[in-house]
Amino acid sequence: MSEPVFLRQSGGLTLDEVSALTGATLASTKPHSRRIVSIAPLDRASPHDLTFFVNRNFASAAAATHAGACLTTTSLAKSLPSQTAVLTVQEPYRAFVTVARELFPQALRPSSLSGAGDFANAHVDPSARMEDGVTIDPGAVIGPSVEIGNGSIIGANAVIGAEVRIGRDCSIGASTIISNTLIGDRVIIHPGCKIGQDGFGFVMGGKGHLKIPQVGRVIIQDDVEIGAGTTIDRGAIRDTVIGEGTKIDNLVQVGHNVSIGRHCIIVAQTGISGSSTREDFVVLGARVGLNNNVTIGEGAQIAGISVVHGDVPPGARWGGTPAKPVKQWFREMMILERLARQKGGADTADE
């Protein structure tokens, strides 16, 4: 049985095209006929692969690489072998990603099982409206009065609830369920997401818990990406909002009434409680927990496995449980470690 190639390369790029695309400088002025068709790490690259080198810790791998071309800095270029074409640039990894996007454009969003306009094996309500170029894979269910923009893909067995709006060039992953939601353009939602269901709201009492109606929506702005298995609750009395350009990893929980600003990064297994706010360019590390009604200021960063109980000022870097400024957190950990060592020594002496 032959090994499948899941993501096929484009026609490739010449070194001059790589240079023009990234603004990199070719270290040699001699003509280069070599064509770059794929990407690889330093230790696995072949003569038709592009790689990158940004850290001196990998100097031995760089010296032994068989890559056809390498993006690096001027100071590191001398570590590369003569057979590798060297392209120097200020940010090699950013340049590498730029080329990778050009070589593998189909890797930027989930692909479809069907062709555009082929809805034969999906259930599409007669009142739904689709622009030209929409793809709906087998088993998908498109509810009443749904609107889907040109170039969007709805994956197999996805369920799009009544009156949901999906913009242009979006990708909705297989088995995703969306209701009570408005989605902008170029949004990517990976498989298995649940968006727009009830938020978790109850009035607790001695005789039982009274369910609170959740009457808001989810608003997802342009260029958002949402990882597989993530859940986003609709608002209770106002909308849950995901701002433009925000990227959310797999298995994240976003509660009702949450507001997430533009270009935020939220890493896997983070839990965001209801009615909390993240301003623009906030970064939350993996498994962060945020309490209700907490505001994280613009540009702030929260370290992984932290729990945030109070507001975080703009630009701050916090970590720990409960979260606090990183420098204070580190000092406290060092003091506790020193006390533990002293205590351990005293116990040994007692013995």
Short mmCIF file of all heavy atoms in Angstrom, two decimals, residues 17-42:
data_model
loop_
_atom_site.label_atom_id
_atom_site.label_comp_id
_atom_site.label_asym_id
_atom_site.label_seq_id
_atom_site.Cartn_x
_atom_site.Cartn_y
_atom_site.Cartn_z
N GLU A 17 12.27 34.01 -6.49
CA GLU A 17 10.89 34.24 -6.05
C GLU A 17 10.78 34.20 -4.53
O GLU A 17 10.04 34.99 -3.93
CB GLU A 17 9.96 33.19 -6.69
CG GLU A 17 9.74 33.42 -8.18
CD GLU A 17 9.01 32.27 -8.84
OE1 GLU A 17 9.12 31.12 -8.36
OE2 GLU A 17 8.34 32.52 -9.86
N VAL A 18 11.52 33.30 -3.89
CA VAL A 18 11.55 33.27 -2.43
C VAL A 18 12.10 34.58 -1.89
O VAL A 18 11.57 35.17 -0.94
CB VAL A 18 12.39 32.08 -1.93
CG1 VAL A 18 12.60 32.17 -0.41
CG2 VAL A 18 11.74 30.76 -2.30
N SER A 19 13.16 35.07 -2.49
CA SER A 19 13.77 36.33 -2.08
C SER A 19 12.80 37.49 -2.23
O SER A 19 12.65 38.32 -1.33
CB SER A 19 15.03 36.58 -2.90
OG SER A 19 15.60 37.83 -2.58
N ALA A 20 12.10 37.55 -3.37
CA ALA A 20 11.16 38.64 -3.61
C ALA A 20 9.97 38.57 -2.65
O ALA A 20 9.48 39.60 -2.19
CB ALA A 20 10.67 38.58 -5.06
N LEU A 21 9.54 37.36 -2.34
CA LEU A 21 8.38 37.18 -1.47
C LEU A 21 8.68 37.60 -0.03
O LEU A 21 7.82 38.13 0.67
CB LEU A 21 7.97 35.70 -1.51
CG LEU A 21 6.69 35.29 -0.79
CD1 LEU A 21 5.47 35.97 -1.41
CD2 LEU A 21 6.52 33.77 -0.84
N THR A 22 9.90 37.36 0.43
CA THR A 22 10.25 37.57 1.83
C THR A 22 11.11 38.81 2.09
O THR A 22 11.27 39.20 3.24
CB THR A 22 11.03 36.35 2.36
OG1 THR A 22 12.25 36.21 1.59
CG2 THR A 22 10.20 35.09 2.25
N GLY A 23 11.64 39.40 1.03
CA GLY A 23 12.58 40.50 1.21
C GLY A 23 13.95 40.04 1.66
O GLY A 23 14.78 40.86 2.08
N ALA A 24 14.23 38.75 1.56
CA ALA A 24 15.53 38.21 1.97
C ALA A 24 16.59 38.49 0.90
O ALA A 24 16.28 38.67 -0.28
CB ALA A 24 15.42 36.71 2.21
N THR A 25 17.84 38.51 1.32
CA THR A 25 18.96 38.72 0.42
C THR A 25 19.68 37.40 0.18
O THR A 25 20.06 36.71 1.14
CB THR A 25 19.96 39.72 1.03
OG1 THR A 25 19.28 40.97 1.25
CG2 THR A 25 21.14 39.95 0.09
N LEU A 26 19.85 37.04 -1.09
CA LEU A 26 20.62 35.84 -1.42
C LEU A 26 22.08 36.11 -1.17
O LEU A 26 22.65 37.09 -1.67
CB LEU A 26 20.39 35.46 -2.89
CG LEU A 26 19.24 34.50 -3.19
CD1 LEU A 26 18.94 34.48 -4.69
CD2 LEU A 26 19.58 33.11 -2.71
N ALA A 27 22.72 35.25 -0.37
CA ALA A 27 24.11 35.48 0.00
C ALA A 27 25.05 35.40 -1.19
O ALA A 27 26.11 36.01 -1.19
CB ALA A 27 24.53 34.49 1.07
N SER A 28 24.68 34.66 -2.22
CA SER A 28 25.51 34.50 -3.41
C SER A 28 24.85 35.20 -4.60
O SER A 28 23.63 35.18 -4.75
CB SER A 28 25.69 33.02 -3.73
OG SER A 28 26.35 32.86 -4.97
N THR A 29 25.68 35.83 -5.43
CA THR A 29 25.14 36.51 -6.62
C THR A 29 25.12 35.61 -7.85
O THR A 29 24.59 36.02 -8.89
CB THR A 29 25.99 37.76 -6.95
OG1 THR A 29 27.35 37.35 -7.13
CG2 THR A 29 25.91 38.76 -5.80
N LYS A 30 25.64 34.39 -7.75
CA LYS A 30 25.65 33.51 -8.91
C LYS A 30 24.23 33.03 -9.22
O LYS A 30 23.38 32.94 -8.33
CB LYS A 30 26.57 32.32 -8.67
CG LYS A 30 26.10 31.38 -7.57
CD LYS A 30 27.10 30.25 -7.39
CE LYS A 30 26.63 29.28 -6.29
NZ LYS A 30 27.58 28.19 -6.07
N PRO A 31 23.93 32.71 -10.48
CA PRO A 31 22.57 32.28 -10.85
C PRO A 31 22.19 30.99 -10.13
O PRO A 31 23.01 30.10 -9.94
CB PRO A 31 22.67 32.05 -12.37
CG PRO A 31 23.88 32.80 -12.80
CD PRO A 31 24.83 32.79 -11.64
N HIS A 32 20.93 30.89 -9.75
CA HIS A 32 20.43 29.69 -9.06
C HIS A 32 19.27 29.13 -9.86
O HIS A 32 18.26 29.79 -10.05
CB HIS A 32 19.96 30.03 -7.65
CG HIS A 32 21.06 30.38 -6.70
ND1 HIS A 32 21.86 29.45 -6.11
CD2 HIS A 32 21.51 31.59 -6.27
CE1 HIS A 32 22.74 30.05 -5.33
NE2 HIS A 32 22.55 31.35 -5.42
N SER A 33 19.41 27.92 -10.34
CA SER A 33 18.32 27.26 -11.08
C SER A 33 17.48 26.38 -10.17
O SER A 33 16.45 25.84 -10.60
CB SER A 33 18.90 26.41 -12.22
OG SER A 33 19.78 25.43 -11.69
N ARG A 34 17.90 26.20 -8.94
CA ARG A 34 17.21 25.32 -8.01
C ARG A 34 15.78 25.82 -7.74
O ARG A 34 15.52 27.00 -7.64
CB ARG A 34 17.99 25.28 -6.71
CG ARG A 34 17.50 24.26 -5.69
CD ARG A 34 18.43 24.26 -4.49
NE ARG A 34 19.80 23.91 -4.90
CZ ARG A 34 20.89 24.28 -4.24
NH1 ARG A 34 20.79 25.01 -3.16
NH2 ARG A 34 22.08 23.91 -4.66
N ARG A 35 14.86 24.86 -7.63
CA ARG A 35 13.46 25.19 -7.35
C ARG A 35 13.08 24.59 -6.00
O ARG A 35 13.33 23.41 -5.75
CB ARG A 35 12.56 24.66 -8.46
CG ARG A 35 11.17 25.28 -8.47
CD ARG A 35 10.43 24.96 -9.77
NE ARG A 35 9.20 25.74 -9.85
CZ ARG A 35 9.13 26.97 -10.32
NH1 ARG A 35 10.22 27.57 -10.76
NH2 ARG A 35 7.97 27.62 -10.36
N ILE A 36 12.47 25.39 -5.18
CA ILE A 36 12.04 24.96 -3.85
C ILE A 36 10.59 24.50 -3.94
O ILE A 36 9.71 25.26 -4.36
CB ILE A 36 12.18 26.11 -2.84
CG1 ILE A 36 13.64 26.55 -2.73
CG2 ILE A 36 11.63 25.69 -1.49
CD1 ILE A 36 14.59 25.47 -2.29
N VAL A 37 10.33 23.24 -3.56
CA VAL A 37 8.98 22.70 -3.68
C VAL A 37 8.36 22.31 -2.35
O VAL A 37 7.17 22.02 -2.27
CB VAL A 37 8.95 21.48 -4.64
CG1 VAL A 37 9.38 21.88 -6.02
CG2 VAL A 37 9.81 20.34 -4.10
N SER A 38 9.18 22.29 -1.26
CA SER A 38 8.62 21.89 0.02
C SER A 38 9.40 22.53 1.15
O SER A 38 10.35 23.29 0.93
CB SER A 38 8.62 20.36 0.16
OG SER A 38 7.84 19.96 1.27
N ILE A 39 9.01 22.22 2.38
CA ILE A 39 9.65 22.76 3.58
C ILE A 39 10.02 21.61 4.50
O ILE A 39 9.39 20.55 4.47
CB ILE A 39 8.73 23.75 4.32
CG1 ILE A 39 7.37 23.10 4.64
CG2 ILE A 39 8.53 25.02 3.49
CD1 ILE A 39 6.44 23.96 5.46
N ALA A 40 11.02 21.81 5.35
CA ALA A 40 11.46 20.76 6.26
C ALA A 40 12.35 21.37 7.33
O ALA A 40 12.92 22.45 7.14
CB ALA A 40 12.22 19.67 5.49
N PRO A 41 12.51 20.67 8.48
CA PRO A 41 13.46 21.13 9.48
C PRO A 41 14.90 20.90 9.00
O PRO A 41 15.14 20.15 8.04
CB PRO A 41 13.13 20.26 10.70
CG PRO A 41 12.50 19.04 10.13
CD PRO A 41 11.77 19.48 8.91
N LEU A 42 15.84 21.51 9.67
CA LEU A 42 17.25 21.44 9.26
C LEU A 42 17.73 20.00 9.08
O LEU A 42 18.42 19.68 8.10
CB LEU A 42 18.13 22.13 10.31
CG LEU A 42 18.15 23.66 10.31
CD1 LEU A 42 18.70 24.17 11.63
CD2 LEU A 42 18.97 24.18 9.14
#
